[in-house]
């Protein structure tokens, strides 16, 4: 359904030419693109994926060479931070690592905001931890860079560091929508390619046993299997999604990654009729994977806009008693627990600062009026919730509003979605500026 994140460091750069034309953050290439492929001075046309190249700040210096892992991980590895999970909340006692990639995006974006007050507020976002999305295999080596940096910072400061990642590269990804279709297809050996992606993540993580890794596993995937099997692409993906998520759980468990499986949100799996089927799916997969001890629970509201605890139900939630994330979590937890699944949660509040802004609960794309929400914290108000987190890096686009794009999804053209949106995962400056302005609590 949504987003892609982006780390552009690894993608190839197209050399800028002298008569550059496209403005900063505009499209400058991709399948079907017929416009100008050059950028204004100070920006470089950067390939983000086959569908989209974007003018990004910086000169056309070639990217730093990255090392690909040379070891082939084995399934018998018992390494990892501790070998056995610490009892309780994995965040307790750890410093969350700030991803330099997002901090750079934010700093550049703040530099483009002219109003001094808004600029100062925008700069504060660079200090707020978000998750890094590994949405294509080419980005995986970057994880090693972050882990090395976190390890060094930990040694220098005496603090223990935690790196937050999103595992997001299943074959036939985003089976019920279009905006975040991925790089692997089931028809083209996608499941094996996905296993290679997981192996590469594991190979990186194994090298830094002193750094704790927390992962959200595959946003939307299992939720799509609960409610969207009427969509042919989802029905066709069912066995590959299950096998992929099982493999991810087992392999990431072997290196001590604390995992939260994505569980949609209140307006999706929180409908009373969906709770039990959802719980049964999570329980079944977890047991079939051998009850991996580092699976800590579920992540909810990833990249969505729901409040953790709404002061009153948004009118669009009418008919669902679980009208916010805390109601959803409280309703889901008992069936998980009785089935032997660890009922602990993290909840994304990165873009949940403003409520009652959607026309339909299912609207998920660049919703107008949204603001940054509650800051990441372990003060969650619920013993079921380990942490309030920012999973979606606010400012990275959910999907393009260009109706001619191969990845155009109609949700991104709705009247409550911000217009002129670039491709999923790329920087959306106007949206970021609005998130800053509408932040609640204020920045
Ligand atoms: C929309 O996408 C099409 C196909 O990629 C491209 O030719 C066109 O220039 C794009 N329009 C805008 C406004 O970016």
């Amino acid at each position: 359904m949504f987003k892609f994140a982006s780390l552009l460091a690894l993608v190839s750069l197209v050399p800028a030419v002298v008569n550059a034309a496209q403005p900063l953050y505009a499209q400058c290439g991709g399948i079907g693109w017929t416009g100008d492929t050059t950028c204004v001075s100070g920006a470089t046309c950067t390939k983000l994926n086959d569908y989209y190249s974007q003018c990004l700040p910086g000169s056309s210096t070639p990217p730093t060479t990255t090392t690909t892992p040379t070891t082939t991980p084995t399934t018998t590895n018992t390494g990892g931070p501790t070998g056995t999970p610490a009892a309780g909340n994995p965040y307790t006692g750890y410093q969350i690592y700030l991803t330099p990639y997002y901090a750079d995006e934010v700093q550049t974006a703040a530099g483009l905001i002219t109003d001094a007050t808004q600029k100062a507020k925008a700069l504060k976002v660079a200090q707020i931890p978000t998750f890094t999305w590994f949405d294509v295999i080419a980005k995986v080596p970057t994880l090693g860079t972050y882990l090395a940096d976190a390890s060094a910072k930990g040694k220098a400061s005496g603090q223990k560091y935690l790196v937050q990642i999103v595992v997001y590269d299943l074959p036939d990804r985003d089976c019920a929508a279009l905006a975040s279709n991925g790089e692997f297809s089931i028809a083209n050996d996608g499941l094996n390619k996905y296993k290679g992606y997981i192996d590469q993540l594991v190979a990186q993580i194994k090298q830094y046993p002193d750094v704790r890794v927390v992962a959200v596993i595959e946003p939307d995937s299992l939720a799509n299997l609960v409610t969207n099997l009427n969509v042919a692409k989802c029905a066709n993906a069912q066995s590959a999604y299950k096998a992929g998520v099982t493999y991810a759980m087992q392999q990431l468990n072997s290196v001590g990654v604390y995992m939260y499986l994505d569980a949609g949100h209140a307006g999706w799996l929180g409908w009373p009729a969906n709770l039990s089927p959802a719980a049964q799916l999570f329980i079944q997969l977890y047991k079939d994977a051998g009850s991996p001890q580092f699976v800590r629970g579920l992540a909810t509201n990833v990249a969505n806009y729901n409040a953790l605890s709404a002061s009153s139900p948004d009118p669009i939630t009418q008919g669902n008693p679980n009208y916010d994330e805390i109601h959803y979590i409280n309703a889901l937890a008992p069936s998980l627990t009785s089935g032997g699944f660890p009922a602990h949660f993290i909840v994304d509040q990165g873009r949940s600062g403003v409520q009652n802004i959607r026309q339909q609960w299912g609207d998920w794309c660049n919703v107008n009026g949204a603001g940054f929400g509650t800051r990441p914290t372990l003060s969650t108000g619920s013993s079921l919730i380990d942490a309030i987190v920012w999973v979606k890096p606010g400012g990275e686009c959910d999907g393009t509003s260009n109706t001619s794009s191969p990845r155009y999804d109609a949700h991104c053209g709705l009247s409550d979605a911000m217009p002129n949106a670039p491709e999923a995962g790329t920087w959306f400056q106007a949206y970021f500026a609005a998130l800053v302005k509408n932040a609640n609590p204020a920045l």
Side-chain angles (χ1 to χ4, degrees):
M1 197 190 275
F2 337 107
K3 74 272 123 188
F4 233 72
S6 40
L7 286 171
L8 321 167
L10 305 173
V11 292
S12 62
L13 300 178
V14 177
V17 297
V18 187
N19 57 342
Q22 292 292 90
L24 192 58
Y25 295 117
Q27 185 172 4
C28 54
I31 293 169
W33 173 253
T34 51
D36 207 314
T37 55
T38 60
C39 301
V40 288
S41 163
T44 304
C45 187
T46 306
K47 179 180 171 182
L48 304 184
N49 56 52
D50 289 345
Y51 301 104
Y52 205 77
S53 298
Q54 188 179 34
C55 293
L56 292 174
S59 63
S60 58
T61 332
T64 6
T65 316
T66 50
T67 28
T68 35
T70 50
T71 51
T72 309
T74 64
T75 54
T76 51
N77 169 50
T78 51
T82 56
T84 50
N89 187 344
Y91 282 89
T92 305
Y94 278 73
Q95 182 76 22
I96 306 177
Y97 180 69
L98 285 169
T99 308
Y101 180 78
Y102 184 62
D104 286 352
E105 279 184 325
V106 166
Q107 271 155 9
T108 305
L112 297 170
I113 295 175
T114 45
D115 180 274
T117 309
Q118 292 303 313
K119 187 195 292 274
K121 288 178 185 220
L123 280 171
K124 292 185 186 169
V125 179
Q127 300 302 317
I128 300 172
T130 59
F131 280 62
T132 302
W133 293 60
F134 290 91
D135 57 343
V136 287
I137 197 166
K139 288 177 186 170
V140 174
T142 322
L143 176 58
T145 314
Y146 296 160
L147 293 170
D149 190 25
S151 175
K153 285 191 161 72
K155 289 190 176 102
S157 67
Q159 288 177 305
K160 293 182 286 185
Y161 271 81
L162 181 157
V163 170
Q164 303 182 119
I165 67 169
V166 179
V167 174
Y168 190 54
D169 207 13
L170 277 174
D172 286 17
R173 190 176 65 198
D174 208 18
C175 64
L178 296 170
S180 291
N181 290 176
E183 62 182 346
F184 298 147
S185 76
I186 293 167
N188 189 17
D189 202 27
L191 181 57
N192 279 323
K193 289 176 181 170
Y194 181 72
K195 288 180 177 175
Y197 157 86
I198 296 292
D199 291 347
Q200 287 196 26
L201 287 172
V202 166
Q204 298 287 348
I205 293 163
K206 201 175 175 177
Q207 294 173 47
Y208 302 95
D210 57 325
V211 179
R212 178 166 287 181
V213 178
V214 165
V216 167
I217 306 297
E218 296 294 344
D220 301 347
S221 61
L222 300 182
N224 272 323
L225 299 189
V226 176
T227 66
N228 287 326
L229 290 178
N230 59 324
V231 177
K233 189 177 173 189
C234 293
N236 185 54
Q238 185 172 17
S239 63
Y241 278 16
K242 286 182 177 175
V245 169
T246 300
Y247 190 79
M249 280 194 280
Q250 292 172 333
Q251 298 307 311
L252 294 169
N253 188 68
S254 77
V255 285
V257 174
Y258 284 83
M259 288 167 270
Y260 296 88
L261 307 183
D262 184 81
H265 59 89
W268 190 350
L269 302 185
W271 289 92
N274 295 338
L275 289 169
S276 178
Q280 294 318 311
L281 179 61
F282 294 127
I283 293 162
Q284 186 72 54
L285 279 180
Y286 173 71
K287 289 197 165 161
D288 289 351
S291 304
Q293 54 188 347
F294 285 94
V295 172
R296 172 71 181 169
L298 301 175
T300 80
N301 201 47
V302 168
N304 211 274
Y305 306 85
N306 298 337
L308 172 56
S309 179
S311 51
S312 63
D314 184 330
I316 58 170
T317 68
Q318 220 170 37
N320 187 346
N322 302 315
Y323 57 82
D324 59 18
E325 295 303 302
I326 191 65
H327 283 85
Y328 168 40
I329 286 167
N330 286 337
L332 183 63
S335 10
L336 294 172
T337 303
S338 66
F341 185 94
H344 306 285
F345 295 82
I346 53 174
V347 182
D348 189 356
Q349 290 291 283
R351 304 192 300 180
S352 296
V354 184
Q355 292 300 302
N356 302 5
I357 52 176
R358 286 170 285 184
Q359 286 168 2
Q360 305 276 346
W361 208 354
D363 295 355
W364 52 265
C365 194
N366 306 318
V367 173
N368 254 323
F372 283 117
T374 308
R375 311 299 180 262
T377 177
L378 305 193
S379 303
T380 66
S382 165
S383 59
L384 293 171
I385 304 176
D386 286 341
I388 290 170
V389 290
W390 286 17
V391 182
K392 170 80 186 183
E396 292 183 357
C397 190
D398 294 320
T400 180
S401 59
N402 180 347
T403 53
S404 312
S405 165
R407 295 203 303 173
Y408 172 71
D409 187 289
H411 286 96
C412 303
L414 294 173
S415 59
D416 60 1
M418 190 178 276
N420 303 318
E423 287 280 343
T426 65
W427 193 254
F428 192 2
Q429 177 70 16
Y431 200 76
F432 173 76
L435 287 171
V436 169
K437 196 172 180 191
N438 300 331
N440 175 28
L443 284 158

